[in-house]
Amino acid sequence: MKRRDFFKTAALTAGAAALGTSDLSAGETKQPIDNRKISDVAFPEKRPLITYSDRPPLLETPREVFTSALTPNDQFFVRWHMPDIPQYIDEKSFTINVNGMVKNVLKITLDQLKNDYEQVEVTAVLQCGGNSRSAFNPTAGGIQWGNGAMGCAHWKGVRLRDILDRAGLKKGAEWLAVSGSEKAAYYETPNFVRELHLDELDDHVIIAYQMNGEDLPYLNGFPVRLVIPGVYSDSWIKMLSNITVTDKYKHLFFMDHAYRVPDNDCECETPEKPFPKTKPIYRMNVKSLIGYPVNGGKLTHKSHTVVRGVAWDGGAGIREVQISLDGGKTWDKAELDDGSQGRYAYRTFRYSFKPMKLGKMSIMAKAINKLGEEQPFAKDVKWNHGGYKFNGIDEVKVEVV
Ligand SMILES: Nc1nc2c(c(=O)[nH]1)N[C@H]1C(S)=C(S)[C@@H](COP(=O)(O)O)O[C@H]1N2
Ligand SMILES: [Mo]
């Protein structure tokens, strides 16, 4: 399909699916809502996914996809803030504009990006800070994501650092304001602009034009997006068209009001007593997800069963994944893949066992990273008003038949 026809088709085919409501009991954080219905219809370049809205497109990846180290592009989740995404991107005239406190203002075409700079690659997890938000009780504001507002891809592009070097930063330059090609729907609505401190940028931050060896899907930010390995994806700007270098943090709406947690040790608060000071969510905490079996799945009595899933963190790397078949009383080590995808990628795990007892059973997974940080039980995850950074121990309930 031509990119030009994109939204015409999308509007015709994608109806927002009705979603189940939360079944949490009062006062506890529990497992995120799982097993939501997959939409009957698909967006262009996507298979049918869990659909929260079609304008803007909000699509979640179902659990069973998380058995593999890379998430396929056509099943990769989608999140946009603004309903008005450009309907057409002209690859010949598209430019990334670098301006503000630079010696050379740049307008980088896609051809220049692919030919005039060193090309680099990284495998990295992209996870929304609100992933698994539906676990919070009382309900935290925002999209009530299950566990699939995340994915892992192999990205190819150019170091942001190399581009800034080419532009030449002026003395006093400290911040970058980055934005995509979409516009706010009404002029009172703030545009989606993110700010990054220059000290935060390491050599792993890239402007990517390829995802898993292909052009980025339109909904994942064609033609280029920012990739910030180890960090929640709110600043992984899609359809990246503008980078403005400044000397000051500008207190923009989406920086001051979204993607922040309480600035205390537990990063927690209560609805009655919000913590007054907040900080950006930034680096991802340690987490894992079981991809097989899924909730409600059936296992065959006494047959060889392999639990599979993925684990990740903010770049320290995964040391261990443990499995519990008795509700978290005892734990046993899972086998990990060789880690060759690097410290920002999913680490896949496997655990073999034979279910010897008929009836319902629980399977839990807990990841521990190389800093010794581990996932808490879901009920022990502390509440924050934005519903960010849920990383409770994962659990699926299955039946042995
Ligand atoms: N241009 C643009 N980039 C954006 C956003 C957006 O609304 N517009 N949303 C951000 C957020 S909050 C998330 S979770 C990720 C989602 O990336 P995906 O749609 O490729 O999964 O994009 C980020 N980059
Ligand atoms: Mo997000």
Side-chain angles (χ1 to χ4, degrees):
M1 177 185 9
K2 288 209 198 76
R3 307 257 183 211
R4 193 185 294 281
D5 298 331
F6 186 79
F7 275 90
K8 219 161 61 197
T9 320
L12 288 175
T13 54
L19 298 169
T21 48
S22 162
D23 60 355
L24 303 184
S25 60
E28 275 192 328
T29 296
K30 288 200 172 165
Q31 288 299 327
I33 298 172
D34 200 21
N35 274 6
R36 272 180 169 134
K37 195 176 150 287
I38 290 173
S39 175
D40 301 331
V41 290
F43 275 84
E45 303 176 292
K46 294 285 171 185
R47 290 205 238 171
L49 296 168
I50 300 162
T51 304
Y52 290 79
S53 153
D54 54 4
R55 197 167 180 275
L58 299 173
L59 312 174
E60 179 178 324
T61 307
R63 179 187 280 277
E64 61 269 20
V65 177
F66 299 108
T67 50
S68 63
L70 295 176
T71 312
N73 289 4
D74 62 2
Q75 290 180 296
F76 212 97
F77 92 104
V78 172
R79 198 270 190 261
W80 288 89
H81 288 76
M82 306 299 157
D84 277 343
I85 308 168
Q87 303 203 2
Y88 177 62
I89 296 277
D90 177 19
E91 291 172 66
K92 289 272 169 296
S93 63
F94 183 89
T95 55
I96 305 161
N97 303 303
V98 186
N99 48 51
M101 294 178 68
V102 293
K103 291 173 190 143
N104 319 298
V105 168
L106 301 178
K107 285 184 184 296
I108 305 167
T109 64
L110 294 173
D111 263 359
Q112 287 169 340
L113 190 75
K114 293 174 187 176
N115 296 303
D116 298 355
Y117 294 85
E118 187 185 341
Q119 308 294 299
V120 293
E121 300 183 34
V122 64
T123 304
V125 173
L126 186 173
Q127 181 186 204
C128 180
N131 190 26
S132 313
R133 180 181 285 126
S134 57
F136 286 99
N137 184 40
T139 304
I143 304 155
Q144 296 301 302
W145 296 113
N147 294 302
M150 63 161 189
C152 181
H154 189 70
W155 310 94
K156 180 174 180 185
V158 169
R159 284 187 202 96
L160 177 57
R161 186 63 80 187
D162 291 350
I163 286 171
L164 295 178
D165 283 351
R166 191 79 59 100
L169 299 180
K170 285 193 179 157
K171 202 160 162 269
E174 260 195 57
W175 289 89
L176 299 180
V178 286
S179 55
S181 310
E182 79 271 30
K183 290 268 175 320
Y186 311 101
Y187 83 97
E188 309 90 50
T189 314
N191 280 312
F192 191 68
V193 183
R194 301 293 296 167
E195 291 174 274
L196 296 166
H197 197 270
L198 280 168
D199 288 350
E200 291 168 355
L201 305 183
D202 58 26
D203 283 349
H204 302 283
V205 178
I206 68 172
I207 295 180
Y209 58 84
Q210 258 190 23
M211 178 175 173
N212 294 330
E214 294 168 3
D215 282 356
L216 303 183
Y218 206 87
L219 290 174
N220 297 109
F222 179 86
V224 287
R225 82 176 305 161
L226 218 49
V227 167
I228 313 176
V231 171
Y232 289 105
S233 54
D234 37 281
S235 296
W236 295 41
I237 291 291
K238 303 193 276 190
M239 287 186 186
L240 174 69
S241 60
N242 199 74
I243 302 174
T244 303
V245 182
T246 65
D247 56 352
K248 276 196 197 73
Y249 176 78
K250 288 199 276 192
H251 291 284
L252 300 168
F253 175 82
F254 281 103
M255 291 304 293
D256 277 358
H257 298 279
Y259 306 108
R260 301 180 78 90
V261 285
D263 190 6
N264 52 24
D265 286 347
C266 63
E267 299 184 344
C268 66
E269 60 195 339
T270 61
E272 300 76 38
K273 244 187 133 200
F275 194 77
K277 208 166 159 253
T278 60
K279 62 185 174 191
I281 54 177
Y282 208 59
R283 198 159 290 282
M284 292 191 281
N285 54 20
V286 63
K287 193 167 172 181
S288 64
L289 197 76
I290 297 166
Y292 178 85
V294 298
N295 269 308
K298 297 219 186 330
L299 303 182
T300 307
H301 190 217
K302 293 183 182 170
S303 72
H304 181 78
T305 302
V306 185
V307 178
R308 295 191 293 153
V310 295
W312 69 101
D313 77 341
I318 294 300
R319 176 195 291 166
E320 207 170 291
V321 173
Q322 300 179 351
I323 301 293
S324 177
L325 304 177
D326 57 9
K329 287 192 214 71
T330 62
W331 296 88
D332 201 8
K333 259 193 212 183
E335 264 174 67
L336 297 182
D337 70 32
D338 66 4
S340 59
Q341 294 299 305
R343 63 198 170 98
Y344 296 117
Y346 281 152
R347 197 84 191 265
T348 58
F349 65 82
R350 307 162 56 86
Y351 182 78
S352 306
F353 79 104
K354 281 188 182 150
M356 300 307 286
K357 238 179 87 190
L358 285 165
K360 296 223 158 85
M361 77 172 291
S362 141
I363 304 172
M364 290 177 148
K366 169 171 77 175
I368 304 165
N369 73 5
K370 290 183 176 163
L371 302 173
E373 296 164 345
E374 61 176 70
Q375 294 179 260
F377 282 104
K379 66 176 175 47
D380 296 330
V381 173
K382 301 276 192 305
W383 194 88
N384 66 78
H385 70 279
Y388 295 120
K389 300 180 80 166
F390 175 86
N391 73 333
I393 288 172
D394 191 30
E395 177 175 22
V396 293
K397 291 185 171 151
V398 298
E399 197 179 350
V400 182
V401 293

